[in-house]
Amino acid sequence: MSVIFDKNSKSFKLDTPGTSYVLEIIDGDYLVHRYYGARIPDTDLTYMHFKTNISSFFPNSPETNIPLGTQLLEYPTHGIGDFRASAVMIRGADGTATTDIRYVSHRIYKGKPVLEGLPSTYADENEAETLEIDAIDNHTGALVTLVYTAFAKHDAITKSVRVKNTSDKPFSLERIFSGCLDMPSSEYDLIHLWGHWAKERTPERTRLHHGKQSIESIRVSSGHQHNPFIALVSPNADEDMGDAYGFNLVYSSSFLIEAEVDSFGATRVLAGINPTDFSWCVNPGETFTAPELVMVYSDKGIGEMSRTFHRLYTNNLCRRQWKGIKRPILVNNWEGTYFDFDDEKLISIAKDAAELGIEMLVLDDGWFGTNRNNDDCDLGDWFVNEKKIRCGIKELARRIRELGLKFGLWFEPEMISPISKLYDELPDWCLHVDGRKCSPARRQYVLDYSRADVRDYIIDCMSKIIDEAELDYIKWDFNRNMTELGSALLTPAQQKELSHRYVLGVYEVMQRLLDKYPTLLIEGCSGGGGRFDAGMLYYAPQIWTSDDTDAIERIDIQYGTSFVYPASAMSAHLSASPNHQTRRATSFKTRGIVAMGGNFGYELDLNQLTDDEKEAVKKQISDYNKYQKLVQGGDLYRLISPFKNRLHSAWEYVSPDKSEALLTFVVMRREIYSRYYLVKLRGLDPEKLYRSSDDGRVYSGALLMNAGVNLCKDYTDGDSLIIHFTEVK
Ligand code: DGJ
């Protein structure tokens, strides 16, 4: 990794092991973009200057002959002749919004700065180098600092932006994107991950076209509908070849990621806070920080792009305490009992769990308030319901711990039920607009996390329970999106800050809890995977991937999720068959094999298991303990896409030293005749020899990758197998 400034060409160059990124200061002190792609030795790319025979409809900059609207710009501003979407628009005290930033100075240093109040990737001095470029808008006194970090071991570059008000008058940020990338081509396909509840992160690939194509959220959450991620890939790109540029926001509130193709064939990518219903007032002396954008480039296809994200997030985003650490195998009572449990039932589940080798009991929704026997009430009343937990939470936790298990609890800390003690006492603590009725969702409203008193109250309530039950884990759920966005404490002008202030409040509460309880494991959740983003992953190193626990549906969901997020980020549980969401019956074995692609656990009533199933659980736990490091620390190869082949799917994990691999194969629907199932492995060392756990034979890596593994068997629907390949020396 290195970051350099070449004085002669006035160019900056950031290198990662396999990529380079070049930008340049041109006449008038504008910043233009020159290159992002495979690593190059050159720094001076001034020859790439774009000249065209343009008309008066592309105004020149007043001080140079450069029509900015024709150039690849590094951080385009509003109102000075570039009519594409701008990265920043600042409305000054005079009411105008023309924004014109010019280079002032820069710094290059080792390491990576912390983003104040925001989640971000982290790196020490040996892991990354950072470039900060200051550019000023003299009219408003806005000092814009573009922050770039290049990683030493990953082909990833992060961007973020700070804006300081150096004047004596306030101004408003009406657009403030985390990063822009102008690319001199539009020959790309756009991949994004769409979805809905119980069907999250479905990859969709379309050709770029002229004009704007975007994904966004205005839900004050990243949402089920569009993950804050896009990739631009060359039309020939597949898992193993072609160009793949990935963009992922480390942010959990309303976002916009947009690709705009202009009339010269260039593409502008913008990613950051959604400007809809947003503006932020920056008073004299104050600084605003935009969330982080992670950019990954691979010239070896979409698979390598994903593996880069996985390595980066495993090593430089996941909380240090949990980095590379196996998470407890848990049993969660939700699909086992729903709201219908008491302390004795929980202890009987815990007894079975302990006998089977499960490591933690998680008590899901329904343990608190006075009448939480369905989802009608009591959110906000974070005291234990002693009608259900008659022995009290402390004693329940003691009895669970006595069995050798850890103990975790479900919370939905951002919500308030209109039927609750908290709402009776403090109705204006929820997001609301005076004079308008609140729209309920799941019969609940949202607490106003922009308020310090709300945040303090929640930390206080949760701390009491965490202390009393000595919790090892909490599941942090979030089951609705925002409407009637208004806060009782913000001024009219500040109401447009609420969607960002809200998430800053959520991040603050999570950080304060983790400062207080450093070993606490937080699992993120939002009606399944409705807030599965890198912002949440910073605090919650694992996230409940989806409320759809059907193994066959989960293949799609985990496949799509793996475009960006590593196996260690996904929680996956074996649940009952027929499945509660789809009514599909799937074998115990396949349910286990699919759930082992994430943080493994069970979500059913263990008391109902047959003896055979109990034996199967013991075997699964032993397999998971054997393979977890390979799955979560290895490289993922998506071999057969369940979206391209709706009959069967295969994926593989390879250890970093290529000494072992794990192949998983699932037949979603058998065909009438058996057929060739020759699955070609990837990522092995062709020179090495590997023994297959399936037939005990020894194969060369070259053979396994070129001829493939013979998986021809007489399958039934939902059959599956895993084969472990270990190096023979
Ligand atoms: C939604 C979650 O995704 C489920 O796992 C469960 O915790 C329920 N909420 C409880 O209300």
Side-chain angles (χ1 to χ4, degrees):
M1 130 217 84
S2 71
V3 180
I4 52 171
F5 178 59
D6 172 25
K7 282 198 183 110
N8 295 329
S9 62
K10 293 176 137 185
S11 303
F12 299 95
K13 178 159 176 265
L14 296 95
D15 286 325
T16 67
T19 71
S20 296
Y21 185 105
V22 181
L23 64 140
E24 186 187 313
I25 309 163
I26 59 164
D27 287 354
D29 291 329
Y30 295 106
L31 292 165
V32 295
H33 179 74
R34 290 293 183 219
Y35 177 77
Y36 182 35
R39 186 152 174 172
I40 50 170
D42 319 69
T43 304
D44 179 352
L45 301 187
T46 45
Y47 79 98
M48 291 182 88
H49 188 70
F50 180 65
K51 292 194 194 82
T52 183
N53 51 334
I54 42 107
S55 67
S56 59
F57 290 94
F58 286 91
N60 286 329
S61 139
E63 287 139 41
T64 69
N65 273 333
I66 299 165
L68 292 171
T70 65
Q71 300 299 305
L72 302 184
L73 299 177
E74 191 54 30
Y75 197 67
T77 62
H78 174 81
I80 55 166
D82 177 8
F83 298 105
R84 294 164 290 185
S86 63
V88 59
M89 178 162 110
I90 302 173
R91 196 168 295 281
D94 63 1
T96 64
T98 297
T99 308
D100 183 2
I101 60 169
R102 310 292 182 97
Y103 169 84
V104 183
S105 60
H106 70 269
R107 298 164 290 287
I108 295 170
Y109 57 89
K110 291 191 180 307
K112 184 171 190 298
V114 169
L115 300 193
E116 198 58 43
L118 283 163
S120 61
T121 54
Y122 53 79
D124 67 26
E125 297 203 336
N126 303 315
E127 290 178 300
E129 211 163 351
T130 295
L131 163 68
E132 295 196 354
I133 301 177
D134 292 332
I136 192 139
D137 175 42
N138 281 320
H139 189 75
T140 56
L143 181 68
V144 177
T145 303
L146 306 179
V147 186
Y148 304 77
T149 296
F151 283 83
K153 288 200 187 133
H154 312 293
D155 285 323
I157 290 174
T158 59
K159 290 185 171 182
S160 72
V161 179
R162 294 193 302 268
V163 183
K164 181 171 184 183
N165 187 342
T166 63
S167 79
D168 55 6
K169 294 192 189 77
F171 58 72
S172 294
L173 299 172
E174 300 202 343
R175 296 168 68 82
I176 174 75
F177 282 86
S178 303
C180 171
L181 182 67
D182 275 1
M183 304 161 91
S185 167
S186 56
E187 295 292 307
Y188 295 109
D189 291 350
L190 184 149
I191 299 175
H192 71 114
L193 304 172
W194 72 277
H196 53 68
W197 175 79
K199 187 185 171 56
E200 295 89 343
R201 291 170 295 286
T202 310
E204 186 167 54
R205 180 168 174 166
T206 49
R207 199 63 202 269
L208 278 188
H209 55 77
H210 284 99
K212 290 175 185 163
Q213 38 255 274
S214 62
I215 55 151
E216 66 174 332
S217 159
I218 52 166
R219 297 166 180 272
V220 195
S221 164
S222 45
H224 293 86
Q225 283 66 20
H226 297 286
N227 198 261
F229 158 81
I230 65 162
L232 292 189
V233 304
S234 51
N236 67 342
D238 62 17
E239 284 293 315
D240 301 305
M241 58 166 279
D243 293 324
Y245 293 87
F247 304 83
N248 188 215
L249 284 166
V250 187
Y251 192 53
S252 318
S253 188
S254 302
F255 70 90
L256 175 67
I257 306 182
E258 185 172 88
E260 178 180 5
V261 176
D262 72 9
S263 35
F264 304 110
T267 305
R268 168 166 296 171
V269 176
L270 289 171
I273 295 175
N274 198 326
T276 299
D277 197 20
F278 169 84
S279 90
W280 192 278
C281 175
V282 187
N283 289 308
E286 286 178 358
T287 299
F288 178 86
T289 305
E292 179 163 291
L293 170 66
V294 178
M295 302 194 316
V296 164
Y297 168 74
S298 153
D299 60 2
K300 296 178 197 65
I302 302 160
E304 187 57 22
M305 175 202 74
S306 297
R307 289 186 287 278
T308 301
F309 274 116
H310 297 172
R311 291 183 206 115
L312 179 74
Y313 287 175
T314 303
N315 294 297
N316 298 85
L317 179 69
C318 169
R319 276 175 62 68
R320 287 185 174 86
Q321 286 83 344
W322 291 104
K323 197 194 308 196
I325 304 287
K326 180 179 155 281
R327 321 281 162 66
I329 301 172
L330 61 85
V331 57
N332 177 307
N333 74 310
W334 178 242
E335 287 196 23
T337 66
Y338 294 103
F339 293 99
D340 186 15
F341 60 83
D342 62 13
D343 43 6
E344 290 312 318
K345 177 68 186 171
L346 295 169
I347 292 296
S348 75
I349 292 177
K351 277 187 182 149
D352 278 346
E355 272 167 27
L356 297 173
I358 292 170
E359 296 159 342
M360 179 159 74
L361 177 97
V362 173
L363 171 50
D364 210 278
D365 196 350
W367 58 268
F368 54 91
T370 38
N371 289 305
R372 183 85 176 166
N373 298 314
N374 52 41
D375 53 24
D376 271 359
C377 60
D378 290 352
L379 293 169
D381 294 349
W382 298 114
F383 48 84
V384 73
N385 179 340
E386 294 197 347
K387 283 186 264 176
K388 286 184 176 181
I389 314 291
R390 289 170 299 237
C391 62
I393 199 79
K394 190 180 174 100
E395 174 60 9
L396 178 71
R398 191 197 63 73
R399 289 173 70 190
I400 288 169
R401 214 163 282 118
E402 194 176 59
L403 292 164
L405 298 182
K406 295 178 187 298
F407 183 42
L409 266 190
W410 179 97
F411 287 88
E412 196 173 358
E414 295 159 70
M415 297 293 157
I416 178 166
S417 303
I419 305 172
S420 64
K421 285 194 179 1
L422 185 63
Y423 190 78
D424 286 347
E425 284 165 28
L426 296 159
D428 72 341
W429 271 22
C430 71
L431 296 174
H432 67 282
V433 177
D434 277 342
R436 294 185 191 276
K437 285 187 178 162
C438 288
S439 306
R442 211 193 189 209
R443 292 163 292 282
Q444 62 199 50
Y445 301 155
V446 186
L447 280 172
D448 180 358
Y449 263 54
S450 73
R451 295 175 63 137
D453 48 1
V454 170
R455 300 196 295 269
D456 290 345
Y457 169 82
I458 289 295
I459 289 173
D460 199 40
C461 294
M462 291 179 77
S463 300
K464 277 188 190 131
I465 301 281
I466 295 171
D467 288 336
E468 212 183 333
E470 294 178 51
L471 294 181
D472 300 291
Y473 157 111
I474 60 175
K475 177 172 170 185
W476 184 300
D477 206 346
F478 172 82
N479 282 299
R480 65 160 293 173
N481 294 145
M482 280 56 150
T483 53
E484 292 83 30
L485 209 56
S487 167
L489 295 193
L490 296 179
T491 64
Q494 286 174 318
Q495 298 293 343
K496 280 185 131 188
E497 300 178 0
L498 187 49
S499 56
H500 186 58
R501 281 183 183 272
Y502 178 91
V503 80
L504 291 179
V506 175
Y507 293 149
E508 183 200 297
V509 171
M510 287 184 153
Q511 188 61 57
R512 281 169 61 189
L513 282 172
L514 290 167
D515 289 344
K516 201 165 167 190
Y517 305 103
T519 59
L520 184 72
L521 174 61
I522 301 183
E523 173 159 330
C525 179
S526 172
R531 198 165 57 179
F532 201 121
D533 58 61
M536 279 295 137
L537 274 180
Y538 177 76
Y539 307 95
Q542 62 191 58
I543 299 179
W544 182 226
T545 313
S546 177
D547 271 350
D548 194 338
T549 57
D550 175 290
I552 302 301
E553 292 296 300
R554 269 299 184 107
I555 293 173
D556 290 3
I557 295 166
Q558 292 173 197
Y559 179 94
T561 305
S562 79
F563 270 53
V564 192
Y565 307 102
S568 64
M570 299 185 221
S571 290
H573 300 167
L574 184 157
S575 63
S577 176
N579 177 267
H580 291 189
Q581 293 81 39
T582 62
R583 301 266 143 229
R584 183 189 277 122
T586 313
S587 71
F588 206 83
K589 180 183 168 199
T590 296
R591 281 178 274 151
I593 280 180
V594 173
M596 282 186 210
N599 294 296
F600 187 53
Y602 292 85
E603 186 154 335
L604 74 186
D605 184 354
L606 295 177
N607 301 154
Q608 308 287 326
L609 294 183
T610 62
D611 288 346
D612 282 353
E613 286 171 337
K614 283 187 176 164
E615 284 313 304
V617 170
K618 288 183 192 161
K619 166 86 172 65
Q620 283 170 343
I621 288 177
S622 135
D623 281 351
Y624 181 70
N625 285 333
K626 188 164 152 198
Y627 300 133
Q628 176 272 337
K629 198 160 174 235
L630 175 54
V631 170
Q632 298 192 4
D635 287 332
L636 171 72
Y637 290 84
R638 293 179 289 253
L639 303 181
I640 303 176
S641 161
F643 295 99
K644 285 196 186 135
N645 184 332
R646 298 304 273 170
L647 301 175
H648 53 269
S649 177
W651 59 96
E652 177 201 9
Y653 308 94
V654 181
S655 63
D657 65 358
K658 297 182 186 294
S659 67
E660 55 175 332
L662 190 73
L663 167 67
T664 306
F665 180 70
V666 183
V667 176
M668 286 96 77
R669 223 176 76 203
R670 67 155 284 163
E671 289 160 282
I672 206 72
Y673 293 124
S674 19
R675 43 157 292 156
Y676 281 113
Y677 288 115
L678 281 167
V679 175
K680 294 180 187 174
L681 299 191
R682 295 209 278 266
L684 301 179
D685 181 340
E687 306 286 321
K688 284 189 162 112
L689 295 175
Y690 297 89
R691 188 181 303 282
S692 156
S693 66
D694 187 43
D695 59 11
R697 267 196 58 162
V698 174
Y699 301 86
S700 71
L703 186 66
L704 292 170
M705 291 195 289
N706 291 302
V709 186
N710 186 358
L711 301 179
C712 199
K713 293 185 202 279
D714 188 17
Y715 296 106
T716 54
D717 282 1
D719 263 353
S720 61
L721 50 90
I722 47 173
I723 305 179
H724 189 202
F725 293 89
T726 41
E727 185 184 355
V728 179
K729 294 216 171 141

